Amino acid sequence: MSSPSIVWSDWQPLVLPEPLSPAVLTEVVDGGQTFRWNHSSDGIWQGVWADCVARLKPAVPDGLLWSAPPELAGMVANELPSYFGAGLRFDRLVDDLPWRSDPHLARCLKAFPGLRLLRQPLEETLLCFLCSSTKQIVQIKQMVELLAQRHGREIAPGIHRLPTWTELAAVSEEALRSCLLGFRARYVNQTAQILAANGDWFNRLEQLPYHEAKERLRELPGVGEKVADCVLLFGAGRLEAFPVDVWITKTMESRYALEGWTPQQIAHFGRVHFGASAGLAQQYLFAWERAQGRS
DNA sequence: TGGGAACCTTT
DNA sequence: AAGGTTCCC
């Protein structure tokens, strides 16, 4: 993953409003929100988003240091805090969740202190989650890495950003299939045709309130309820979005007695029960449920 | 409106 | 054998 020809800047602090332990950092960058961060060595993570490449290293006690190729360091210094949602006080948002009356939520919050939602570039968030259906994190990472290497611009030696939608519109469905997308290749291809023909599409999307933005996203081939909510939550800062996947379905059925509910009903319950930051609650429930599966 | 099919890798 | 879903009949 790391290229020997890359020079890295000196480590500098990333200032966040709340501490982030190494374990919770792992959950943030490799727990299903994003798919382009890889463990390089000794707890160092290397990631790519938009035109940025960075390394991240936990620092005692719960701080974070970053490094980037010198020619990108200015941009990364600017973009990294917003990517990590440094402008949001997640501790306050968490405190507003109904943990006082919801013991399961309280347990999840305690298990992953400082868990954050990333604020990712909207356009590539859509691409990643279009690739995500019935795939696990490792497989999604594999697909988007191939898309980047073969169709995205090189931003540092050996490191490529994800292709833009304009670039994707020129890639054949066949070439997308060879990036292991399978039936998702058609979704990406058709979506790219629509987006490339509407230069203003993402700007207009960001102006819309949550429900209308979700409807607009769902007009795109391959975007259903779950993918639309992931795109809005991780790429547009809509914290009320409550993506319901198999893990959340499992959690809500067993911990909230919602057996037999449809995913749509579960999503509605989630937004009502957890409130304005339902998506943040979702991330905690999701992390906790996955951790149960592993242990 | 519910269930099967859509790819292809990993388990 | 089934996977962190969508689409279509």
Side-chain angles (χ1 to χ4, degrees):
Chain A
M1 208 48 59
S2 62
S3 171
S5 55
I6 295 189
V7 176
W8 294 92
S9 67
D10 292 338
W11 294 103
Q12 303 178 60
L14 169 62
V15 180
L16 297 174
E18 304 96 31
L20 190 55
S21 69
V24 177
L25 172 64
T26 298
E27 190 62 35
V28 171
V29 298
D30 206 17
Q33 297 190 49
T34 186
F35 305 99
R36 298 211 64 200
W37 287 87
N38 290 290
H39 220 44
S40 55
S41 59
D42 297 346
I44 295 177
W45 288 92
Q46 182 174 317
V48 184
W49 75 100
D51 293 323
C52 297
V53 185
R55 285 186 165 182
L56 234 34
K57 179 166 80 168
V60 283
D62 277 335
L64 221 44
L65 299 173
W66 67 271
S67 163
E71 61 276 18
L72 301 181
M75 177 176 55
V76 169
N78 227 25
E79 301 297 327
L80 188 59
S82 56
Y83 180 80
F84 267 83
L88 291 177
R89 288 291 302 264
F90 285 107
D91 55 347
R92 291 181 186 161
L93 298 176
V94 160
D95 194 53
D96 287 340
L97 292 172
W99 57 272
R100 293 171 183 80
S101 57
D102 181 338
H104 178 62
L105 176 62
R107 166 168 67 177
C108 297
L109 297 177
K110 206 174 166 188
F112 298 92
L115 187 64
R116 318 182 67 77
L117 293 167
L118 296 173
R119 177 63 186 270
Q120 301 173 63
L122 183 53
E123 306 200 9
E124 63 182 48
T125 308
L126 173 60
L127 176 59
C128 291
F129 282 94
L130 220 32
C131 293
S132 73
S133 61
T134 61
K135 285 294 176 193
Q136 299 182 9
I137 294 167
V138 271
Q139 298 172 298
I140 302 166
K141 288 173 81 168
Q142 204 174 158
M143 292 186 235
V144 299
E145 189 57 36
L146 282 166
L147 284 171
Q149 289 299 329
R150 294 184 186 175
H151 303 292
R153 191 169 64 81
E154 187 176 55
I155 54 179
I159 296 182
H160 295 246
R161 54 159 291 146
L162 281 167
T164 64
W165 285 103
T166 308
E167 288 166 337
L168 284 167
V171 177
S172 70
E173 185 181 328
E174 207 45 44
L176 293 171
R177 275 180 192 272
S178 77
C179 295
L180 310 180
L181 296 207
F183 61 83
R184 301 156 200 83
R186 186 167 47 88
Y187 298 157
V188 171
N189 181 263
Q190 292 180 344
T191 291
Q193 305 311 315
I194 295 170
L195 297 180
N198 291 277
D200 215 19
W201 199 93
F202 287 101
N203 286 333
R204 294 217 310 265
L205 184 77
E206 294 196 276
Q207 309 306 316
L208 297 175
Y210 167 69
H211 286 285
E212 289 169 44
K214 189 169 171 182
E215 276 179 48
R216 181 67 51 85
L217 275 165
R218 291 209 48 192
E219 293 168 5
L220 299 172
V223 180
E225 286 276 332
K226 191 268 182 187
V227 170
D229 270 332
C230 286
V231 172
L232 290 169
L233 181 60
F234 303 132
R238 306 303 174 89
L239 270 53
E240 66 267 55
F242 191 83
V244 176
D245 58 22
V246 297
W247 294 98
I248 292 297
T249 300
K250 193 175 149 191
T251 294
M252 300 309 283
E253 284 177 341
S254 63
R255 318 259 167 219
Y256 293 82
L258 304 189
E259 287 92 353
W261 290 43
T262 66
Q264 210 166 16
Q265 290 170 324
I266 293 173
H268 180 72
F269 175 94
R271 285 189 291 271
V272 172
H273 177 68
F274 297 113
S277 301
L280 182 58
Q282 178 271 168
Q283 206 57 32
Y284 277 95
L285 299 177
F286 179 81
W288 198 88
E289 202 62 45
R290 289 180 66 234
Q292 300 316 298
R294 284 192 297 264
S295 62

